Amino acid sequence: MLWLCILLPRFALEAAPGGALETLALWALQWSSQVTHRAASDDARCIAATHGAALWLEIGASRQLFGDHAALRARIAGELAPLGYSFRLGIAPTPQGATVLARASLDTVALTHAQLQQQLGPLPLTLLSLPDEPLAALHGVGLRHIGELLSLPAAAIARRFGPGTSLYLERLRGAAREPQQCVRAPARFASRCKFSGAITDTTALLFPLQRLLAGLQGYLRSLDRAVQRYTLCLEHHRAAATRLTIGLARPGREAAQFLALARERLAATTLAAPVHGLGVEAHELLHPLVLQGDLFSHAARQAEQLQHSLDRLTARLGHAAVQTLDSAADHRPERAWRLDAVRLATPAAPPDTASSPSRPCWLLPEPQRIDEPCELLAGPERIESGWWDGADVARDYYLARGEHGAQLWVFHDLRGGGWHVHGIWA
Amino acid sequence: MTAQMLYPLEQDEISRFSSLPDTRFGKTADPALPQHAQHLSRDELRARLERMSRGGRADDQARPVALSTGFAGLDALLPGGGWPVGAITELMPEAQGIGELSLLMPSLAQLSRAGRYLAWIAPPCLPYPPALARHGLALERLLLVQARDARTVLWAAEQALRCPAIGAVLAWPAALDDRRVRRLQLAAETGGSCGLIYRPPAAAQQPSPAALRLRLRALDGGLHVEIHKARGGRTHALVVHPAAALCA
């Protein structure tokens, strides 16, 4: 067993479900299947009040996956720093040992119990996770360094400084195992944070959101899952929360991508009321389709880039604003087309050019009534259709010359009479 | 370090880069690597490789500077021999319906059949699918983007221009100034796509950083194309005859 301790300042103490520490624990699941943040004893809980909160990851099993413990440590530090946490890391064979080393801010790592004992030796007693009372007693008898304390017999320590102190020291050096309550990835992701003040500007939400989305990314990585949509919950003081669902064209799990989409969506959102809390929820977990890091597969890369662009566009403009077009089998020009959802990476079908009659590039949304055109260049093409659905038409279509030499697609309505322009030959 | 400077690298060199150990993690650099590569961390290399795959892969060293318009006479007059790639072309038709869209059809058809997407941002009318198919466009490569206001149109055009999967971006912004055109120009350079921007004829009076500016008007049943500005070329004019109006 090798434990990495992430030591955080006091703010992270609120270990409520879905709170900051919980979010960070879900984030940490991507590095280790054994993550814990629950202090084993009440003593340790009150220590946390003075020393800050801690998160422990068992990295003995996972360090090979990431190179070695130093590589893993560097990666964890590299991902934590941009999230704005101030933190310290320590690595040791026991969770308590890792905590003390993290507190000492030494750059050293203890890989074995012997190394741990050696490194703890010269450190001051104040770095130990002990309540004030036994700590004062230890000081009273002239002990200053951890090494001096560890050299005393356990029974004597228990007698003079209480069984709690003795048990803690046993756990520190690995003679006693610490019961661990490991964090388990829940079936659905829900994480939230509360603000001390009210936020009225959506851009101010991005920073706390970044942390929540990092939690979502770690959670998805640990389960090897992806999501195609997630929900932002903007909590207001006395009103129902604003829920924004953000969709992706394809399942993804990169926090940076989630954040980019949320940024666009928030930019287009007007806050109904000041925001007091922020939540991120993801319910439907999917298998990831795109393998990350496939730098040289051109087609996959292209599809992914297009997906990201589409996601950005739809996040700001809405899904209905980005579509593709297709022809439809109907003789009536206004029904010979349809909007379609964009499909990615479909093989290009050979367009059929021969069969269809010549048509203008622009179609007007509605035929527009005009006076009889003075110059007809070609036609007529009679279109009579639709008697079966009540929207029947009987028209003679012509090519007509308009102003500035424009070429218009006009028709004479054989039923109602009158001339209309229906398209433009651009 | 620009993407161009990386082009001379061989493919096998690049794949060696991707397996380069990160020196920050306490490992030593591979002595077999070229000198300059050893100074880069894995993240820097990754960023460089990302840039490369964005700007073009290592094997398409000669990214075309222009896309043939499909009209030999026009290609001959344009610097590079066609629509500038990775740049903005402004089209200023005198009126709607003179062939301003048919002028683009051969090149758009070519792009779409090569698998590139075509983004149409805020067109004034419906691009009519039966007509586009007749011109040879692969309809499933078409992206129709509707945007509410002038700012959103430009934003959407910028997003589309940055995407390397999109070969051409056609946009109809309501208003444009040279600062905005410069932004679009930068986006086009990033994505390597053709930006084809329709502007009113009065825009010709304003200066613009666009690489190519064309004034279009109908003339004798054809389309009179005046090269108002061509970066690295001369102004000129000619008449082309897009396969347009013949009613069957």
Side-chain angles (χ1 to χ4, degrees):
Chain A
M1 299 273 251
L2 192 62
W3 292 87
L4 180 136
C5 170
I6 302 175
L7 204 63
L8 297 154
R10 282 176 66 176
F11 82 91
L13 264 184
E14 40 145 341
L21 196 55
E22 192 95 324
T23 303
L24 206 59
L26 292 177
W27 167 86
L29 279 175
Q30 65 186 301
W31 313 110
S32 164
S33 56
Q34 264 183 287
V35 174
T36 173
H37 61 77
R38 294 205 175 91
S41 67
D42 289 342
D43 270 358
R45 187 166 282 281
C46 84
I47 299 308
T50 51
H51 280 301
L55 199 64
W56 293 279
L57 287 66
E58 202 288 308
I59 57 166
S62 48
R63 64 181 149 158
Q64 267 87 22
L65 267 176
F66 299 99
D68 60 0
H69 64 269
L72 181 56
R73 181 189 172 127
R75 281 190 66 167
I76 288 177
E79 292 214 7
L80 263 179
L83 296 179
Y85 288 108
S86 57
F87 60 92
R88 291 176 186 178
L89 301 179
I91 295 178
T94 68
Q96 294 299 348
T99 313
V100 174
L101 292 185
R103 245 172 237 151
S105 317
L106 295 178
D107 230 7
T108 52
V109 168
L111 295 179
T112 63
H113 290 282
Q115 283 177 9
L116 175 63
Q117 205 112 340
Q118 198 186 351
Q119 288 180 20
L120 288 175
L123 297 178
L125 289 181
T126 46
L127 293 180
L128 294 175
S129 307
L130 282 174
D132 290 340
E133 206 179 311
L135 212 52
L138 291 169
H139 262 274
V141 298
L143 294 172
R144 292 292 177 270
H145 299 287
I146 298 176
E148 298 159 21
L149 182 59
L150 289 180
S151 62
L152 297 175
I157 293 173
R159 203 170 50 245
R160 290 201 55 178
F161 306 107
T165 308
S166 162
L167 181 61
Y168 168 75
L169 292 175
E170 297 291 283
R171 285 175 178 165
L172 176 64
R173 65 174 144 217
R177 284 286 288 275
E178 193 162 0
Q180 298 291 350
Q181 267 187 294
C182 287
V183 174
R184 297 206 185 289
R188 307 144 55 121
F189 181 87
S191 194
R192 54 191 293 271
C193 59
K194 284 181 95 70
F195 307 136
S196 47
I199 288 182
T200 50
D201 178 14
T202 52
T203 51
L205 294 171
L206 292 174
F207 186 71
L209 181 60
Q210 195 186 356
R211 289 182 173 180
L212 296 178
L213 292 176
L216 177 57
Q217 171 182 301
Y219 166 82
L220 292 171
R221 276 190 191 165
S222 72
L223 294 174
D224 194 22
R225 287 290 182 275
V227 290
Q228 194 148 19
R229 68 179 64 87
Y230 71 94
T231 305
L232 286 185
C233 236
L234 313 181
E235 294 165 8
H236 308 300
H237 198 44
R238 254 181 233 127
T242 308
R243 296 176 68 84
L244 304 172
T245 297
I246 294 172
L248 288 74
R250 285 197 293 179
R253 61 175 175 216
E254 295 303 310
Q257 189 195 351
F258 295 155
L259 187 71
L261 299 180
R263 180 180 289 128
E264 298 304 345
R265 185 64 185 274
L266 286 170
T269 303
T270 316
L271 289 177
V275 180
H276 288 263
L278 178 67
V280 167
E281 293 170 18
H283 296 169
E284 297 153 71
L285 305 187
L286 308 165
H287 287 276
L289 294 180
V290 183
L291 292 172
Q292 309 292 338
D294 183 10
L295 277 175
F296 291 101
S297 159
H298 192 54
R301 186 90 199 136
Q302 240 200 9
E304 201 182 316
Q305 286 160 338
L306 185 69
Q307 181 208 333
H308 287 188
S309 298
L310 290 176
D311 287 341
R312 266 200 299 280
L313 288 168
T314 51
R316 175 134 163 201
L317 307 175
H319 277 276
V322 185
Q323 283 176 304
T324 187
L325 286 164
D326 205 356
S327 300
D330 198 311
H331 286 294
R332 287 164 288 186
E334 58 268 48
R335 296 194 183 203
W337 64 281
R338 62 164 180 268
L339 285 168
D340 226 335
V342 178
R343 287 151 299 172
L344 286 165
T346 45
D352 61 309
T353 51
S355 59
S356 51
S358 182
R359 287 288 177 261
C361 286
W362 292 131
L363 192 74
L364 300 186
E366 293 283 331
Q368 273 174 26
R369 192 74 192 247
I370 50 165
D371 296 332
E372 187 173 343
C374 52
E375 195 180 350
L376 296 177
L377 301 170
E381 178 193 352
R382 178 155 299 181
I383 295 178
E384 258 184 305
S385 184
W387 50 267
W388 56 87
D389 60 10
D392 55 329
V393 300
R395 300 166 180 166
D396 274 341
Y397 277 87
Y398 297 87
L399 176 66
R401 192 191 301 280
E403 269 183 75
H404 298 290
Q407 297 188 322
L408 308 174
W409 202 38
V410 301
F411 67 81
H412 182 241
D413 192 339
L414 301 177
R415 295 274 158 75
W419 288 85
H420 298 80
V421 58
H422 202 180
I424 302 169
W425 239 287
Chain B
M1 177 80 58
T2 66
Q4 265 90 19
M5 295 176 73
L6 278 165
Y7 284 165
L9 290 176
E10 295 299 326
Q11 184 72 43
D12 61 339
E13 266 184 299
I14 291 156
S15 37
R16 257 195 284 142
F17 280 11
S18 59
S19 58
L20 180 70
D22 191 331
T23 46
R24 284 177 316 163
F25 294 172
K27 290 186 180 169
T28 52
D30 183 353
L33 276 169
Q35 192 76 50
H36 60 279
Q38 296 187 2
H39 302 303
L40 295 167
S41 73
R42 179 183 287 170
D43 286 348
E44 283 170 308
L45 270 170
R46 184 171 284 270
R48 280 172 58 173
L49 290 167
E50 293 265 354
R51 266 205 301 283
M52 263 176 52
S53 58
R54 226 178 25 229
R57 288 193 306 157
D59 53 353
D60 63 14
Q61 289 184 21
R63 186 166 90 185
V65 294
L67 171 72
S68 169
T69 64
F71 303 98
L74 184 55
D75 283 354
L77 292 181
L78 294 175
W83 306 122
V85 168
I88 296 295
T89 296
E90 286 180 15
L91 300 147
M92 297 172 281
E94 192 180 41
Q96 207 182 10
I98 56 173
E100 73 276 12
L101 216 45
S102 307
L103 179 67
L104 301 182
M105 285 301 156
S107 46
L108 295 185
Q110 190 194 333
L111 277 174
S112 72
R113 280 181 299 205
R116 307 286 297 276
Y117 284 79
L118 311 171
W120 298 54
I121 320 274
C125 299
L126 173 78
Y128 195 41
L132 304 183
R134 218 184 126 89
H135 277 291
L137 265 72
L139 291 177
E140 74 279 356
R141 298 287 159 177
L142 211 134
L143 304 171
L144 181 63
V145 180
Q146 271 137 21
R148 292 177 301 272
D149 50 79
R151 238 183 80 212
T152 322
V153 172
L154 289 168
W155 174 83
E158 247 185 272
Q159 297 300 318
L161 282 167
R162 281 215 189 88
C163 178
I166 297 178
V169 177
L170 289 74
W172 286 262
L176 212 54
D177 53 38
D178 58 342
R179 198 173 52 85
R180 294 265 161 71
V181 177
R182 191 164 286 115
R183 285 192 63 134
L184 294 175
Q185 174 74 32
L186 284 174
E189 280 169 26
T190 311
S193 56
C194 285
L196 302 156
I197 311 293
Y198 282 93
R199 302 188 66 180
Q205 310 309 321
Q206 302 165 17
S208 163
L212 179 64
R213 307 185 79 199
L214 303 180
R215 296 173 76 165
L216 311 174
R217 63 189 166 90
L219 187 76
D220 303 334
L223 180 67
H224 183 266
V225 179
E226 180 199 328
I227 301 174
H228 187 63
K229 173 197 169 184
R231 198 160 63 194
R234 293 175 300 129
T235 57
H236 222 291
L238 84 161
V239 175
V240 297
H241 293 273
L246 303 161
C247 231

